[in-house]
Amino acid sequence: MRFLNYFLPVLKASPKEAEISSHSLMLRAALIRQQSSGIYSWLPLGKRVLDKLCKLVREEQNRAGAIEILMPTIQPASLWRESGRYDSYGKEMLRIQDRQNRDMLYGPTNEELVTDIVRSYVRSHKDLPLNLYQIQWKFRDEIRPRFGIMRAREFLMKDAYSFDCDSAGARASYNRMFVAYLRVFARIGLVAIPISADSGPIGGDMSHEFIILSQVGESSVVCDQKYFDMRIPSAEIDFSDKKKIASIVCEWTDPYAATEDMHPEALADLSARNRISARGIEVGHLFSFGTKYSNPMCARFIGIDGKNYPFFMGSYGMGLSRLVGAVVESSHDKKGIIWPKAIAPFDVGIINLKPGDVLCDRFADSCYQQLENAGIDCLLDDRNEQSGSKFATMDLIGLPLQIIIGPRNVLKGEIEIKDRKNNQGEVFSLDAMINRVTAKQ
Ligand code: ATP
Ligand code: MG
């Protein structure tokens, strides 16, 4: 992409409404724009990040055996009346009436809708287990939307729903999602701590929140620092090996982790040396709730013994738009964002310091073409702007690698590569640079 053909309206100053760094940086780097309280547009650069994250999340959901669907954002209230949640869900639910005066709502979550799909088609234990997921916008009329897309009203969620014959099957489905989550967070450079969560009135012991440590988080967390040295399961992991998957979950739930309000008495167990007390951002939530929805909604299958049983279910949410904020919050410096390669909007930013100069243009174009041909996404800054402003923009938008093409270097046949993370520059010939960058990707 050439900057002159792109739409990247970066801002020089930090907007007043931004209270935390990630919010300010996301507005300044023109990733998002607020349209109303807690409601955002995703501008081209932000859309690229979101798309890359969605692709990565799909890879891991599919690997774990989940199957993608897409459910509507607008749902009929009748399904929520069946489960009993239409009345119990509070003001966070946006309720609407259509022109026939039918009660509708903008989905804050999708348990009812997916249960309706499965009860309509799945009759037999032979069709189980089944895990259906989607990536879809949700609306919750949050009392206090804040921190940009971190606590928004409209936000993008990956939500998966598992259906099993019994609680042992449901546990295995839960474990698969647990391991898939570990891989997603690791691939975007985050350590997420799985914290056993309060399963509230539903009961049961299977609920974990995944929390990223961050000063601006809304939860208080106490955990063992061991979490920061633990190994992530590889992409070759066999998700059909129930024992292996269960052992990974055991390993990851063994070190101590709790929200401060839940287990203050257990803190004594954790020696001060290993203890981390911090604030954290909830980026995902796993939940196994048995027959809570299948029972009232009469979602049943015929078991191996010919009798009728309600499905054993679980649901697994991941806040994708919030995750983008969490990544920016945990990976930035004074100058701007530092994207992990996996979700960077472009892999490489090329700065042509002197557009119009024959040699600079030739080097910039050749560099751009060769990298694009090698499958590397480039943003070429070909604007007629001051060098300082170009450097500042490139640092702000945080692409992992910068290639700087200046009139003095090109006379010697050289260009500079700068690593955004450590600010280290190195000078190469054009060919050596192309080899170097393509090898790194
Ligand atoms: P929170 O405690 O932050 O309000 P929640 O427990 O109500 O979240 P879940 O129902 O567990 O949220 O939703 C799954 C995931 O969706 C959460 O883990 C979080 O990452 C994301 N999420 C929830 N609410 C919001 C929001 N208002 N804005 C952005 N992401 C959200
Ligand atoms: Mg939650």
Side-chain angles (χ1 to χ4, degrees), residues 49-57 188 320 323-324 343:
V49 175
L50 210 47
D51 284 350
K52 286 208 170 168
L53 178 61
C54 290
K55 178 168 177 283
L56 186 155
V57 168
I188 55 176
L320 301 190
L323 257 181
V324 174
I343 57 166

Side-chain angles (χ1 to χ4, degrees), residues 208-269:
H208 286 91
E209 289 175 355
F210 280 88
I211 294 192
I212 308 286
L213 300 189
S214 160
Q215 276 178 345
V216 304
E218 293 178 335
S219 321
S220 283
V221 178
V222 180
C223 71
D224 196 316
Q225 69 170 23
K226 258 193 222 150
Y227 276 113
F228 290 85
D229 303 319
M230 287 176 67
R231 267 187 4 153
I232 300 295
S234 79
E236 281 69 48
I237 181 94
D238 177 3
F239 274 94
S240 64
D241 184 344
K242 286 186 189 162
K243 266 202 186 139
K244 175 79 193 150
I245 298 292
S247 75
I248 296 171
V249 174
C250 263
E251 191 191 330
W252 275 83
T253 47
D254 182 50
Y256 187 83
T259 45
E260 222 158 32
D261 47 325
M262 271 189 62
H263 295 297
E265 75 282 3
L267 293 183
D269 293 348

Side-chain angles (χ1 to χ4, degrees), residues 140 142 149-152 155 157 282-285 317 319 322:
R140 295 183 186 173
E142 297 277 355
I149 43 74
M150 205 82 95
R151 179 164 297 284
F155 60 95
M157 196 200 284
E282 180 192 322
V283 288
H285 199 162
R322 178 181 286 181

Side-chain angles (χ1 to χ4, degrees), residues 411-426:
L411 282 178
K412 293 181 274 171
E414 287 173 347
I415 45 192
E416 187 186 344
I417 309 186
K418 200 177 94 181
D419 189 322
R420 173 66 182 88
K421 208 185 278 175
N422 58 24
N423 229 6
Q424 303 264 299
E426 266 186 279

